[in-house]
Amino acid sequence: MPVALFGPTANPAIHAGITSQRRKAQTGRSHPGDACTAGLPVAASLSQDGVTLACFEAKDGWGMTDNAPINIGSLLNGDDPIDDASQDLLQRTELADAFAVEICRTSAKHGAVVALTGKWGSGKTSLANLTCRALDRVHDVQVVEFNPWFFSGTDQLMRFFFDELAGQLRDGRRLKNKLKGAGRTVAERLGKYSAALSPLKFVPGAGVVLEGASAVAAGTSKLLGEGPETIHEQRAELTELLGKLPGRIVVFIDDIDRLSQQEIRDLFRLVRLTGSFPNIVYVLCFDREVVETALTDEAVKGSAYLEKIVKMSVEVPPLPSQALSPVIAEGLTQALDGIQSGPLHASRWPDVLVQLILPMFSTIRDVKRYLTSVPLAVRSLGTEVNLVDVLALEALRVRFPAAHAMLPAAADLLTPAKTRYQAGTDRTAREGAFVEEFTGLLNGHAQPVIRLLFPAADRLFGGQNYSSDWIQTWEQDRRVACSTVLDFYLHRRLPAGRAPAEYVDQVADCIGDESALDEVLGQVPDALLDDTLKRLVPYCRDAPGGSVLPTAAALMRQLPRVRLGSTGMYSPGGEWAVLSPVGVLLRNLSGDVADHTVRSLFSGIPSLYGKVFLLDIAAGRPGKQGLIPDESARLLRQELASQLRTAGPEDLADERMLLRTVLVAAADGPPVLEPAFDARVVARLLESGVAPVHSQTMGSVAVRTEKQLRWDSLVSVYGGEAHLAEAVALLQRCLQEGTVELNEDLAAALALYEKYATGWRPEEF
């Protein structure tokens, strides 16, 4: 039966001696009588020196004692157990002291066997080490540690045990002064006893039998009581000698549950045969379930076998989440020191720690495995994934690897490209199968994982729905709730065209500073500019009014670097990479401020087509109010027309969408270009008159693209087909003369012109 390890003991002096000596060994830390457990983290922040993942405050009786720092070093050194009180993160030193007291006070007249039990990873070895250190401070107790892993097979066990016991008792450096004389004498006797037992092998029932033919003569003579000293005589002398020992020998045997079934049986038979030696106390450390299973056979149950051997036992207490909270939080802080990571959101971290991570852990061994695996995960992901998500998913991977392995195949369920409102029970067969398997693997942890990491999938588990408006926010926060972020987490690679997060960070940091923004945008490669600008949109939503104009001006200057027009069935024009953040910035303003800002921005845009794009996002439409009054929009179009009339051919030849610019400028008045002008301008008008039209057959993923010519628009600009034909003829002569260069776009435009000029028109589809 387990004994009470808290409260008064039969020998308070022993307890006081152990406790006071332990406290002296822990420099700089006081130990009040009442037990304390670390509280939950209430704050989190980032610093230049590293990540700070927790800040603790005393609340409702919980809190760190005397604001003492937590020594996490031992947690970051693999699976090594602690060996002194300064490393005790779980405040089990008091329990070890109480256990040591009971070992000292229990009767050992005929020997004693006590057990320290607990599941693998629960901290048995650490608690045993703390108990050893406590006993080391008792002057009449000699601690001997026996490692059963050092022997191989039954044949070596008995001799190795007594040889090891004798060897440690001979070590004068470790032997207590009070026990030195008697201890060496006992060691000599143990050595002789071991030599006498060496040819013998013990088995259940018979006790000992002959090992083999080579040992028959010597073994038989000792067994039958022949010779100068029989085994029985040596045992009797050893028993008498141990009975006079001025103290006791405590033998710790750990890792019993890691032995094979036969080795576990052999070890317990050895303890049973030798456990009656006086003043020897065996402390056996094992997982009760494993050992009971190993000892069970047809004749006896393992539990009954243990009851006959073990006099007293103590179970390693389970770890409360309050105790693991500071251990994990402070351990993460130290483990991630100096590693660059994604953002840590203080508002999310406490919920993820308390509701998701902590419930997954019940042993310090699993915590160690987690803390040692986190640095690699964070380092490999860099700044691309939110740190809170990385820490949560790494806990999932360490504790529930099968559930973590489901994420790649279920990525489209966890992070749909477009979330939609629908009833929580409205699930497809595939969705239902995923929910059932994921829930089964996670033992009650599935809903916190989904709700805190993959909210778009929460509806599948009976939770709430999220609209597509959230996707951009999740992307900005670099949460795995966004499909592109989850894809990087799973595959550790950026897809083509995806900008590293640091580019977005650098650009976002320069919002409001026009020159700095020009510089940092200039450093972004052209291939990554589109993605960088699109991901800037959420940062522009909260930009202060004074930063709108300088930021928008710098962004509009990036138009020459982005593609124009759409590339797919549903893809927006490439220009919206610039126009989207600019539009969001302008919507932060209203009234006269918005009108003044748009006018100032319009004047500063160097290109005519850039001014057209600004009108697209600022001017109103039929039935829809714009950011600026209709009169202001009309005046800006007039200004555009004026600039178009006065622009030279070389300037117009550089305009990327000249045809549309002319049409917008002429919306409120007569045409602004004469039909006969420079051939380079004709070329730009034709090129900008080509538009790709995309179509898709229902049920097919293939997209068909056909180029069409905006024939009617070209005809209206030139005032008729005849004038258009004259302009094209002028262009063709210049191409023949070599004064205008033929490129792929111009060739495609001329080919379309020849078809349209003959009356051909595309079929509508």
Side-chain angles (χ1 to χ4, degrees):
M1 292 289 294
V3 299
L5 295 177
F6 293 102
T9 68
N11 192 340
I14 297 176
H15 186 276
I18 292 174
T19 304
S20 63
Q21 292 180 57
R22 173 183 59 78
R23 290 176 182 171
K24 290 179 182 178
Q26 295 186 7
T27 59
R29 182 173 179 181
S30 61
H31 293 266
D34 22 334
C36 295
T37 307
L40 299 178
V42 296
S45 62
L46 284 171
S47 67
Q48 290 183 344
D49 298 329
V51 180
T52 301
L53 287 163
C55 174
F56 304 100
E57 66 176 12
K59 184 176 182 181
D60 298 332
W62 302 105
M64 295 308 298
T65 304
D66 297 338
N67 296 320
I70 302 177
N71 182 357
I72 303 293
S74 62
L75 287 177
L76 306 181
N77 295 322
D79 197 28
D80 297 336
I82 66 171
D83 54 15
D84 64 69
S86 66
Q87 301 169 325
D88 179 21
L89 305 177
L90 304 178
Q91 302 187 14
R92 286 178 172 169
T93 307
E94 295 287 350
L95 174 57
D97 289 350
F99 190 32
V101 169
E102 294 300 320
I103 292 172
C104 291
R105 66 181 287 273
T106 191
S107 175
K109 183 178 181 180
H110 300 290
V113 179
V114 300
L116 175 58
T117 62
K119 296 292 185 182
W120 284 348
S122 62
K124 292 190 303 295
T125 301
S126 295
L127 184 55
N129 288 345
L130 292 175
T131 305
C132 286
R133 302 295 83 80
L135 291 172
D136 282 341
R137 293 187 286 273
V138 180
H139 68 286
D140 59 351
V141 173
Q142 185 65 44
V143 174
V144 174
E145 298 179 60
F146 177 69
N147 191 334
W149 280 40
F150 287 162
F151 75 88
S152 58
T154 303
D155 301 344
Q156 297 183 11
L157 175 59
M158 184 172 288
R159 174 151 191 181
F160 178 77
F161 173 76
F162 285 108
D163 284 349
E164 182 68 15
L165 188 59
Q168 292 193 38
L169 290 176
R170 289 192 195 100
D171 189 352
R173 295 168 299 177
R174 297 187 57 211
L175 208 58
K176 301 288 179 64
N177 290 331
K178 187 174 181 178
L179 297 172
K180 276 189 177 180
R184 288 169 180 164
T185 304
V186 169
E188 292 179 8
R189 283 294 179 183
L190 284 171
K192 292 181 180 180
Y193 189 61
S194 172
L197 290 173
S198 61
L200 303 179
K201 176 181 178 181
F202 60 91
V203 295
V208 289
V209 296
L210 299 181
E211 181 183 32
S214 63
V216 170
T220 302
S221 64
K222 289 180 171 60
L223 188 64
L224 297 177
E226 301 174 3
E229 281 188 308
T230 66
I231 291 178
H232 298 294
E233 290 172 342
Q234 290 190 43
R235 181 182 179 89
E237 290 180 5
L238 185 56
T239 299
E240 181 180 1
L241 187 61
L242 287 169
K244 298 177 181 179
L245 194 68
R248 61 183 57 196
I249 300 170
V250 181
V251 182
F252 280 81
I253 306 179
D254 195 8
D255 288 334
I256 298 173
D257 44 22
R258 296 191 180 189
L259 301 174
S260 68
Q261 182 185 47
Q262 187 59 48
E263 288 170 338
I264 290 175
R265 291 184 173 188
D266 291 343
L267 182 62
F268 271 87
R269 288 164 185 154
L270 170 64
V271 171
R272 186 173 183 182
L273 287 170
T274 60
S276 60
F277 281 129
N279 289 321
I280 293 186
V281 179
Y282 291 91
V283 180
L284 309 180
C285 306
F286 56 86
D287 182 327
R288 181 178 291 275
E289 183 179 352
V290 173
V291 168
E292 285 182 354
T293 301
L295 295 177
T296 297
D297 58 24
E298 295 179 357
V300 64
K301 289 185 176 181
S303 57
Y305 192 98
L306 286 178
E307 287 178 3
K308 294 180 180 180
I309 297 178
V310 176
K311 178 179 181 181
M312 173 183 70
S313 67
V314 59
E315 181 85 13
V316 178
L319 294 178
S321 59
Q322 295 95 333
L324 285 180
S325 174
V327 173
I328 292 177
E330 288 290 343
L332 289 172
T333 298
Q334 293 192 27
L336 299 179
D337 184 33
I339 300 178
Q340 190 176 24
S341 69
L344 170 68
H345 294 144
S347 60
R348 291 185 62 222
W349 171 241
D351 286 335
V352 170
L353 174 64
V354 175
Q355 299 180 41
L356 193 157
I357 296 177
L358 285 179
M360 290 187 178
F361 292 93
S362 59
T363 70
I364 202 69
R365 174 170 294 157
D366 287 335
V367 171
K368 287 185 175 184
R369 290 174 53 226
Y370 173 60
L371 291 178
T372 53
S373 70
V374 160
L376 175 58
V378 175
R379 199 185 302 275
S380 66
L381 293 166
T383 62
E384 296 297 325
V385 184
N386 191 291
L387 180 58
V388 175
D389 287 7
V390 177
L391 299 179
L393 286 172
E394 191 61 13
L396 178 67
R397 189 190 68 81
V398 170
R399 295 294 294 121
F400 299 96
H404 186 275
M406 292 183 65
L407 300 183
D412 61 319
L413 302 181
L414 298 168
T415 60
K418 290 185 178 180
T419 61
R420 60 194 185 278
Y421 287 105
Q422 62 184 60
T425 57
D426 185 13
R427 298 190 304 214
T428 65
R430 178 170 171 249
E431 290 171 339
F434 165 74
V435 170
E436 182 178 358
E437 183 178 0
F438 198 67
T439 302
L441 290 172
L442 278 174
N443 298 330
H445 301 295
Q447 285 193 321
V449 169
I450 296 298
R451 178 168 49 82
L452 295 171
L453 298 182
F454 305 106
D458 197 24
R459 67 170 187 85
L460 301 179
F461 293 78
Q464 68 183 90
N465 289 286
Y466 287 81
S467 70
S468 57
D469 296 339
W470 283 90
I471 295 176
Q472 204 169 54
T473 300
W474 293 334
E475 181 177 33
Q476 178 189 8
D477 294 340
R478 295 174 215 171
R479 293 182 55 181
V480 292
C482 171
S483 59
T484 53
V485 178
L486 178 60
D487 181 77
F488 181 84
Y489 170 82
L490 294 173
H491 305 293
R492 302 301 201 268
R493 58 179 293 275
L494 291 171
R498 179 73 173 179
E502 60 183 317
Y503 286 6
V504 182
D505 286 342
Q506 292 169 1
V507 174
D509 289 342
C510 294
I511 287 178
D513 187 333
E514 187 171 353
S515 60
L517 200 52
D518 280 333
E519 181 178 356
V520 72
L521 285 171
Q523 296 171 0
V524 177
D526 288 351
L528 303 179
L529 181 64
D530 183 275
D531 184 63
T532 301
L533 295 178
K534 287 178 180 177
R535 290 160 63 187
L536 191 64
V537 168
Y539 298 92
C540 295
R541 291 197 179 106
D542 300 322
S547 66
V548 170
L549 180 58
T551 304
L555 292 176
M556 292 299 288
R557 282 194 286 273
Q558 303 305 311
L559 278 171
R561 299 176 58 193
V562 301
R563 63 176 176 81
L564 300 183
S566 64
T567 58
M569 187 71 180
Y570 301 107
S571 64
E575 62 272 12
W576 284 99
V578 171
L579 301 183
S580 292
V582 171
V584 170
L585 285 167
L586 292 175
R587 282 192 288 274
N588 290 332
L589 308 175
S590 61
D592 292 340
V593 175
D595 191 16
H596 174 75
T597 302
V598 170
R599 286 173 174 271
S600 299
L601 184 59
F602 186 93
S603 299
I605 295 175
S607 63
L608 297 178
Y609 71 92
K611 297 178 187 292
V612 172
F613 282 143
L614 180 60
L615 285 169
D616 282 344
I617 60 178
R621 284 167 177 63
K624 185 176 181 181
Q625 178 64 42
L627 295 174
I628 58 176
D630 292 342
E631 178 61 19
S632 294
R634 188 184 66 80
L635 292 174
L636 291 178
R637 285 193 293 270
Q638 288 182 353
E639 183 178 342
L640 175 67
S642 174
Q643 293 178 7
L644 191 59
R645 290 189 184 94
T646 58
E650 63 280 358
D651 295 324
L652 295 176
D654 289 335
E655 289 292 326
R656 298 179 67 187
M657 40 179 260
L658 185 57
L659 177 59
R660 180 153 184 262
T661 301
V662 172
L663 293 173
V664 171
D668 302 314
V672 293
L673 288 178
E674 294 296 330
F677 41 74
D678 192 280
R680 291 171 295 175
V681 178
V682 178
R684 295 296 83 77
L685 283 169
L686 280 177
E687 288 175 1
S688 60
V690 176
V693 178
H694 309 289
S695 63
Q696 189 175 18
T697 303
M698 184 175 295
S700 173
V701 297
V703 176
R704 182 163 60 99
T705 301
E706 179 181 356
K707 291 183 177 181
Q708 297 182 5
L709 190 64
R710 294 190 176 92
W711 178 261
D712 292 339
S713 297
L714 286 168
V715 170
S716 68
V717 167
Y718 279 92
E721 293 187 12
H723 292 300
L724 174 59
E726 292 177 13
V728 172
L730 171 65
L731 172 61
Q732 290 173 334
R733 287 195 300 272
C734 291
L735 288 171
Q736 292 174 354
E737 296 169 359
T739 56
V740 174
E741 183 179 352
L742 182 67
N743 57 44
E744 184 178 349
D745 291 337
L746 181 56
L750 287 170
L752 282 172
Y753 169 80
E754 295 297 337
K755 294 175 64 176
Y756 276 77
T758 62
W760 176 88
R761 297 295 183 270
E763 296 181 4
E764 293 188 5
F765 58 90

